[in-house]
Amino acid sequence: MTFTVRFTDCPEVEQGDPGEVALENALRKARAAQKLGRVGEVVLGCDTLVVLAGKIYGKPRDEREARATLKALSGATHEVVSGVAVLLAGEGSKIEERKAIARTAVTFRTLDEALLDWSLASGDWRGRAGGYAIQGTGAALVRKLEGDYENVVGLPLAALLDIYPELLFACK
């Protein structure tokens, strides 16, 4: 199976119910990447965000915002919410949409200034919801995780396989 990455520049929803926001953004990305008329094409869109006390934390715009986000998450349990959308192109313009939402609870240790400085200096905050990458230096910030680790990385494989189990048989 051949995979192609298609970058999209579609506007993202930033306010609302976190699950609905993540799912809507995943659908927007997938729809923007879809090339109409390609029968059999499968398009995957995913959007991940961090939620603490009902507030959505997306990708920080700069290091100052990343620091503020990490300070807010310090010592607390937040939720990582991902929306996953799979679009399957059929005959003509028929598109089947499959979608799912994944949620993982992540508890951060209390972050002192030295740990914050170290984490931010790595640059892992760039392009990451919540300002951290658990597969990088963000692993040192986490005390406990409940749920799908891959969801926190950014692609919830369990949710993806729930809605598109054919993926297992397509990858040999």
Side-chain angles (χ1 to χ4, degrees), residues 109-122:
R109 63 184 68 253
T110 300
L111 309 179
D112 61 21
E113 289 301 317
L115 187 52
L116 279 169
D117 291 343
W118 172 81
S119 178
L120 293 167
S122 74

Side-chain angles (χ1 to χ4, degrees), residues 1-168:
M1 178 174 250
T2 303
F3 298 94
T4 303
V5 176
R6 293 186 191 141
F7 294 96
T8 62
D9 191 23
C10 55
E12 292 188 11
V13 178
E14 296 178 355
Q15 304 278 325
D17 173 80
E20 291 175 18
V21 168
L23 190 54
E24 177 62 25
N25 288 336
L27 282 165
R28 287 179 180 207
K29 291 174 183 180
R31 289 171 182 152
Q34 180 121 50
K35 297 203 184 229
L36 295 178
R38 291 187 133 172
V39 176
E41 181 178 64
V42 178
V43 177
L44 167 66
C46 186
D47 189 62
T48 302
L49 45 91
V50 167
V51 182
L52 177 66
K55 181 177 179 181
I56 295 174
Y57 291 88
K59 298 171 186 148
R61 291 184 294 266
D62 54 33
E63 188 173 322
R64 182 187 56 72
E65 191 174 306
R67 179 179 295 276
T69 298
L70 292 176
K71 280 187 174 185
L73 300 177
S74 176
T77 299
H78 63 274
E79 188 173 46
V80 176
V81 180
S82 293
V84 182
V86 174
L87 306 184
L88 302 151
E91 293 294 329
S93 59
K94 183 177 179 188
I95 305 293
E96 178 186 351
E97 293 184 350
R98 299 181 188 177
K99 49 196 175 195
I101 298 171
R103 298 174 186 273
T104 304
V106 179
T107 303
F108 265 21
R109 63 184 68 253
T110 300
L111 309 179
D112 61 21
E113 289 301 317
L115 187 52
L116 279 169
D117 291 343
W118 172 81
S119 178
L120 293 167
S122 74
D124 280 355
W125 60 268
R126 288 183 178 88
R128 309 288 182 174
Y132 72 97
I134 196 168
Q135 70 275 26
T137 57
L141 311 180
V142 175
R143 176 167 298 289
K144 183 171 124 182
L145 183 132
E146 295 176 59
D148 184 2
Y149 170 84
E150 298 296 337
N151 181 39
V152 184
V153 172
L155 181 60
L157 296 177
L160 173 59
L161 291 173
D162 285 346
I163 62 171
Y164 188 57
E166 301 94 324
L167 180 62
L168 288 174

